[in-house]
C-alpha cells in the first residue's frame, strides 16, 4: 500500500473537535460522537478510491481546457461603498465592525 | 384561453407574439396558480408586484413588435441566483436577510430577453442535497403522488423547487443549478426536462457558489423545446467569469426534429449497477429501442472508472465548498451571532447559520484539505477525476455522438425516507449524474416512463463538450416516443 493511501482512516473525537475549530464551526460536546460517526461513514465511502491506480496521472486542474483569460489592468467600477456595506450585520461610516482583535 | 398555466413555454411565446394572450394575463394566471399551490412549498419568495410590472413592460414591447426571445414569459428563479434588490438566501439561515445589490449574469440574460420573474424557488441549502429536505425553508413537496397514496414525496434536489414548480404549472420554466445532478435528478423525479450544460457554457457570476469546478446553471422546463429555448437565453460568454467560454451559442431550438440517422449512441455497461430495479432496466432498454427506431445505432461502451466518480465527488465538492463557504463569517453580510472574541463570533455564527448537511460537508472538506491529508484525499480524487474524464474522451473518440443512461437509480421517494442514519444512502441518488459533472460534460434528463406506482422515470443523455444541440435532438426523439407526464392536481 502506498503512503498516500486513504484506506482505514477514521477520525477520533479529538480530531472532530480540531476540524470543527479549523472550519470555525462551534460544536457542542454532545454533538461530537454523532458527527464522528457521520464523518467516518463518509471516509469509509471514499476509501474505495485507494484501489485506483493513479501513478503517472496528472491531477485535474481545469475541467475544460482553457487559457486563463486576462483583462486590461483598468479600474472598472468603484464608488459603491454604500452597496458594499448595505448587507453588513454591523457597520459604521462604510466600515465593517468586528469584535476587538488586538489586545 | 382555458388555462394559460397549462401552455408550454413555446406555445405561450407564439400566442404572445400573435397577441392572442397578453403578458399581463399570462402572468396573472401564474401568480394565482402559485398562490393556490403554497402547500408544495416550491416558492420561498413570491414577487407578484415585480412580475406584474415586468409583464406590463413586456406588453408594451410586444405591442411595438420589439419583444425579445422570452418576452412576457413568466419564470421561477432558484434562490441560488442573486437578484438585484430581491432577497436571495441559498435557502440558508446564514443568508436569511441578504438582499443583493447586483444581478447574476444568467438572470440578467433572461430579463434582457424579456422574461418575467414570478419569485424565488426553494432548493437544498447551498444546493447541498438530493431531496430538497436540507432547505432552511423546509422541504418541497412533489406534485406527484404514488397511486392510491397521499404520502408526500420529494421532488429531488437540489433544484427541487424548480422541478416542483415546473411540473405543477407554477411557471413556464425555471432556472436551476447542477453540481452533481441537481438539475437532472429532480427533473427525472417530476417528469420534467432538465439540461446541465457543458462547464463554462453559462456564467457562474452572481450565482451562490457551492463547488466552483462543478457548478453549472441550466434550465428545467416541461418539454425539450422549452428547455432549448431557455438554454439559449441563459448561456453566453461573460467576462466577469474567467471560466465562462467565449463561444457562439447555437439556436438550440433548431436542433429539434433533426434526423438522428446513423448517430452512434453509447450504452455504458458500468451503469448496470447491482440492485437496479427491473423497471429502470426496462426503461433504459426502451429508450435504446426508440433511438434505434429513429435510425441511431446502439454501441456497447465501457467507462471503467464510473464507480469512483461518486466517492471522488464527495472529496472534491466538500473541499471546494469548505473554501467557498469560508466567506460566511458574520462580518460583511448575513447572519451574525455574537461571541466574546472574533473567533467565537465566527464559530457561533457558522454553527447557528449553517444546517446539518452543510456543516457536515464543510467539515469533511476541511479535513481532506488539512495538512497531512491533502495528498491522500484531495490530490488522489483530482487524479481519479482525470481518469473519469479520459474514459469519456476515449468513448467519444470512437465516433460515439452521445451516451444513454438512466437518470436516477429509482423513482422519487417519500419525505423523511432516506439518509437519516447514513448520509451516503442519500448520496447514491446521484450515481448516474455525478460522472457528468466530474468530466464537465453536458447532460439532459428527459421523462421516459413510469414506475409501477405511477411515478415518472427519466433517461439521461450525455454529450460531447459543447454539443448540447445533439442532446436536444436526441431528447426530442425520446420525448416524442414517451409522451408527456403531468401530475394529477390535488393541491
Amino acid at each position: 500500500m502506498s503512503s498516500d493511501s486513504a484506506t482505514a482512516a477514521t477520525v477520533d473525537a479529538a480530531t472532530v473537535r480540531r476540524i470543527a475549530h479549523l472550519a470555525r464551526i462551534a460544536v457542542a460536546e454532545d454533538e461530537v460522537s454523532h458527527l464522528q460517526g457521520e464523518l467516518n461513514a463518509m471516509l469509509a465511502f471514499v476509501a474505495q478510491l485507494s484501489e485506483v491506480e493513479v501513478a503517472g496521472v496528472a491531477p485535474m486542474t481545469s475541467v475544460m481546457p482553457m487559457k486563463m483569460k486576462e483583462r486590461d489592468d483598468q479600474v472598472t467600477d468603484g464608488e459603491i461603498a454604500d452597496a458594499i456595506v448595505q448587507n453588513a450585520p454591523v457597520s459604521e461610516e462604510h466600515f465593517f465592525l468586528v469584535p476587538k482583535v488586538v489586545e | 384561453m382555458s388555462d394559460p398555466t397549462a401552455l408550454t413555454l413555446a406555445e405561450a411565446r407564439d400566442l404572445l407574439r400573435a397577441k392572442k394572450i397578453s403578458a399581463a394575463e399570462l402572468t396573472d394566471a401564474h401568480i394565482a396558480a402559485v398562490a393556490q399551490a403554497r402547500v408544495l412549498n416550491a416558492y420561498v419568495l413570491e414577487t407578484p408586484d415585480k412580475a406584474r410590472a415586468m409583464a406590463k413592460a413586456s406588453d408594451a414591447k410586444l405591442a411595438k413588435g420589439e419583444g425579445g426571445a422570452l418576452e412576457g414569459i413568466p419564470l421561477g428563479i432558484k434562490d441560488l441566483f442573486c437578484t438585484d434588490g430581491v432577497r436571495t438566501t441559498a435557502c440558508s439561515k446564514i443568508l436569511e436577510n441578504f438582499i443583493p445589490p447586483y444581478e447574476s449574469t444568467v438572470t440578467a440574460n433572461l430579463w434582457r430577453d424579456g422574461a418575467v420573474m414570478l419569485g424565488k424557488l426553494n432548493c437544498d441549502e447551498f444546493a447541498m442535497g438530493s431531496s430538497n429536505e436540507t432547505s432552511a425553508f423546509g422541504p418541497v413537496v412533489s406534485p406527484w403522488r404514488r397511486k392510491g397514496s397521499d404520502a408526500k414525496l420529494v421532488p429531488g434536489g437540489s433544484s427541487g423547487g424548480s422541478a416542483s414548480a415546473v411540473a405543477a404549472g407554477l411557471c413556464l420554466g425555471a432556472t436551476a443549478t447542477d453540481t452533481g445532478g441537481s438539475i437532472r435528478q429532480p427533473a427525472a423525479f417530476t417528469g420534467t426536462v432538465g439540461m446541465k450544460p457543458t462547464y463554462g457554457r453559462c456564467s457562474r457570476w452572481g450565482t451562490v457558489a457551492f463547488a466552483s469546478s462543478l457548478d453549472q446553471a441550466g434550465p428545467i422546463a416541461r418539454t425539450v423545446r422549452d428547455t432549448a429555448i431557455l438554454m439559449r437565453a441563459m448561456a453566453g460568454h461573460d467576462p466577469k467569469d474567467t471560466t465562462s467560454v467565449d463561444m457562439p451559442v447555437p439556436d438550440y431550438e433548431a436542433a429539434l426534429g433533426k434526423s438522428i440517422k446513423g448517430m452512434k449512441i453509447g450504452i455504458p455497461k458500468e451503469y448496470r449497477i447491482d440492485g437496479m430495479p427491473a423497471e429502470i432496466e426496462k426503461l433504459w432498454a426502451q429508450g435504446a429501442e426508440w433511438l434505434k427506431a429513429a435510425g441511431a445505432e446502439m454501441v456497447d461502451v465501457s467507462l471503467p472508472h464510473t464507480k469512483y466518480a461518486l466517492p471522488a465527488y464527495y472529496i472534491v465538492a466538500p473541499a471546494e465548498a469548505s473554501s467557498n463557504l469560508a466567506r460566511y463569517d458574520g462580518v460583511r453580510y448575513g447572519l451574525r451571532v455574537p461571541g466574546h472574541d472574533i473567533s467565537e463570533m465566527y464559530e457561533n455564527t457558522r454553527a447557528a447559520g449553517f444546517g446539518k448537511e452543510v456543516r457536515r460537508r464543510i467539515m469533511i472538506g476541511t479535513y481532506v484539505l488539512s495538512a497531512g491529508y491533502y495528498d491522500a484525499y484531495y490530490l488522489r480524487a483530482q487524479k481519479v477525476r482525470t481518469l473519469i474524464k479520459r474514459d469519456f474522451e476515449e468513448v467519444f473518440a470512437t465516433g460515439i455522438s452521445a451516451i444513454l443512461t438512466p437518470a436516477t437509480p429509482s423513482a422519487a421517494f417519500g419525505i423523511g425516507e432516506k439518509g437519516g442514519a447514513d448520509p451516503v444512502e442519500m448520496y447514491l441518488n446521484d450515481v448516474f449524474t455525478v460522472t457528468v459533472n466530474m468530466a464537465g460534460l453536458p447532460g439532459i434528463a428527459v421523462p421516459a416512463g413510469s414506475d409501477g406506482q405511477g411515478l415518472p422515470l427519466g433517461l439521461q443523455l450525455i454529450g460531447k463538450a459543447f454539443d448540447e444541440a445533439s442532446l436536444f435532438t436526441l431528447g426530442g426523439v425520446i420525448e416524442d416516443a414517451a409522451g408527456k407526464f403531468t401530475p394529477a392536481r390535488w393541491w
Side-chain angles (χ1 to χ4, degrees):
Chain A
M1 199 54 71
S2 66
S3 61
D4 67 345
S5 161
T7 45
T10 54
V11 294
D12 57 17
T15 307
V16 171
R17 285 187 211 101
R18 188 175 63 85
I19 302 167
H21 180 65
L22 283 174
R24 296 294 185 271
I25 296 174
V27 170
E29 229 8 76
D30 60 356
E31 292 174 285
V32 172
S33 80
H34 184 68
L35 265 172
Q36 189 184 340
E38 287 179 343
L39 297 182
N40 282 330
M42 288 180 74
L43 291 174
F45 177 62
V46 302
Q48 55 184 301
L49 292 181
S50 61
E51 312 163 8
V52 187
E53 182 50 71
V54 293
V57 178
M60 182 176 283
T61 49
S62 175
V63 68
M64 283 299 133
M66 55 175 85
K67 195 170 164 276
M68 184 65 89
K69 281 176 275 190
E70 293 173 354
R71 64 172 175 83
D72 296 336
D73 187 12
Q74 280 170 351
V75 176
T76 54
D77 65 4
E79 309 298 326
I80 51 167
D82 284 342
I84 288 170
V85 298
Q86 156 197 319
N87 280 285
V90 192
S91 68
E92 203 178 287
E93 293 175 7
H94 293 164
F95 287 97
F96 298 111
L97 296 193
V98 296
K100 194 172 170 186
V101 178
V102 183
E103 289 303 322
Chain B
M1 189 59 51
S2 53
D3 178 8
T5 67
L7 295 168
T8 66
L9 189 155
E11 287 165 354
R13 173 193 63 184
D14 297 345
L15 290 170
L16 284 163
R17 284 185 187 164
K19 301 191 175 65
K20 288 184 177 151
I21 189 170
S22 69
E25 274 175 87
L26 190 62
T27 295
D28 281 337
H30 280 92
I31 289 170
V34 169
Q36 281 161 21
R38 292 198 181 116
V39 64
L40 301 180
N41 202 25
Y43 281 84
V44 295
L45 183 71
E46 296 170 24
T47 56
D49 296 340
K50 188 174 176 73
R52 287 195 183 98
M54 291 174 97
K56 196 176 165 193
S58 285
D59 278 328
K61 281 199 172 171
L62 286 160
K64 286 190 269 180
E66 291 171 0
L70 292 171
E71 200 67 59
I73 298 293
L75 301 177
I77 302 300
K78 185 177 184 179
D79 206 23
L80 216 59
F81 294 87
C82 287
T83 39
D84 193 356
V86 177
R87 191 191 69 183
T88 302
T89 67
C91 292
S92 179
K93 194 171 170 352
I94 211 156
L95 282 175
E96 62 188 353
N97 298 315
F98 181 61
I99 299 178
Y102 51 84
E103 187 78 29
S104 83
T105 298
V106 162
T107 47
N109 290 348
L110 294 171
W111 316 143
R112 171 204 66 203
D113 284 355
V116 168
M117 179 164 84
L118 291 165
K120 304 299 290 284
L121 294 163
N122 206 338
C123 59
D124 278 299
E125 184 180 2
F126 286 102
M128 295 181 196
S130 304
S131 63
N132 215 120
E133 290 171 285
T134 73
S135 167
F137 294 95
V140 173
V141 179
S142 173
W144 288 90
R145 286 172 161 180
R146 294 178 184 124
K147 249 180 240 161
S149 160
D150 62 2
K152 287 180 177 171
L153 303 182
V154 304
S158 69
S159 308
S162 305
S164 189
V166 168
L170 312 182
C171 54
L172 291 176
T175 63
T177 61
D178 191 316
T179 304
S182 284
I183 290 175
R184 292 157 288 155
Q185 184 255 18
F189 275 13
T190 56
T192 56
V193 180
M195 161 63 85
K196 190 227 66 100
T198 313
Y199 186 80
R201 189 57 106 174
C202 286
S203 169
R204 292 180 298 107
W205 195 85
T207 309
V208 177
F210 161 13
S212 303
S213 78
L214 300 158
D215 296 344
Q216 262 296 289
I220 293 181
R222 287 197 286 274
T223 68
V224 175
R225 181 177 300 276
D226 292 359
T227 310
I229 294 168
L230 284 174
M231 184 67 236
R232 189 186 187 189
M234 291 168 73
H237 178 237
D238 178 11
K240 287 189 284 196
D241 174 1
T242 53
T243 62
S244 157
V245 173
D246 194 356
M247 251 177 127
V249 178
D251 177 359
Y252 295 120
E253 198 181 358
L256 271 101
K258 280 201 175 152
S259 169
I260 64 163
K261 222 178 186 101
M263 268 184 156
K264 285 187 181 174
I265 308 300
I267 306 288
K269 62 174 189 220
E270 290 80 7
Y271 282 62
R272 197 156 277 122
I273 54 170
D274 291 343
M276 186 154 89
E279 50 205 358
I280 301 280
E281 283 255 22
K282 213 178 119 203
L283 180 88
W284 194 8
Q286 176 67 74
E289 280 306 313
W290 285 329
L291 295 178
K292 221 193 276 180
E297 183 193 337
M298 298 303 121
V299 182
D300 288 325
V301 299
S302 174
L303 299 163
H305 295 90
T306 297
K307 71 177 267 210
Y308 301 112
L310 201 56
Y313 173 86
Y314 274 99
I315 291 173
V316 174
E320 294 185 13
S322 74
S323 170
N324 271 328
L325 273 62
R327 73 189 70 180
Y328 303 103
D329 57 6
V331 175
R332 288 157 300 161
Y333 38 74
L335 181 78
R336 172 187 291 202
V337 179
H340 77 264
D341 59 16
I342 194 162
S343 190
E344 198 183 275
M345 186 274 280
Y346 292 151
E347 293 185 356
N348 291 346
T349 296
R350 291 163 62 81
F354 292 134
K356 212 170 69 169
E357 181 66 28
V358 174
R359 289 201 302 265
R360 181 156 67 207
R361 294 204 200 183
I362 290 174
M363 287 185 64
I364 270 289
T366 303
Y367 179 70
V368 301
L369 290 177
S370 65
Y373 297 97
Y374 180 90
D375 286 0
Y377 289 105
Y378 189 72
L379 197 65
R380 175 171 282 265
Q382 290 289 50
K383 288 178 181 175
V384 172
R385 200 173 167 191
T386 298
L387 294 172
I388 293 163
K389 183 161 188 258
R390 191 180 293 169
D391 285 353
F392 281 106
E393 284 166 352
E394 284 171 1
V395 164
F396 287 127
T398 65
I400 297 289
S401 297
I403 293 165
L404 179 73
T405 78
T408 58
S410 73
F413 44 89
I415 291 177
E417 259 174 37
K418 273 195 187 178
D422 178 0
V424 176
E425 188 191 17
M426 186 67 85
Y427 301 165
L428 292 172
N429 262 291
D430 296 331
V431 65
F432 297 140
T433 49
V434 77
T435 50
V436 178
N437 301 77
M438 294 301 268
L441 299 173
I444 192 170
V446 182
S450 305
D451 77 346
Q453 296 173 302
L455 298 179
L457 296 170
L459 286 171
Q460 172 178 243
L461 286 151
I462 304 167
K464 291 183 278 196
F466 302 106
D467 187 20
E468 288 85 0
S470 292
L471 301 186
F472 287 119
T473 305
L474 291 160
V477 171
I478 289 177
E479 179 180 57
D480 286 346
K484 280 233 234 173
F485 297 81
T486 309
R489 189 161 170 172
W490 53 265
W491 58 92

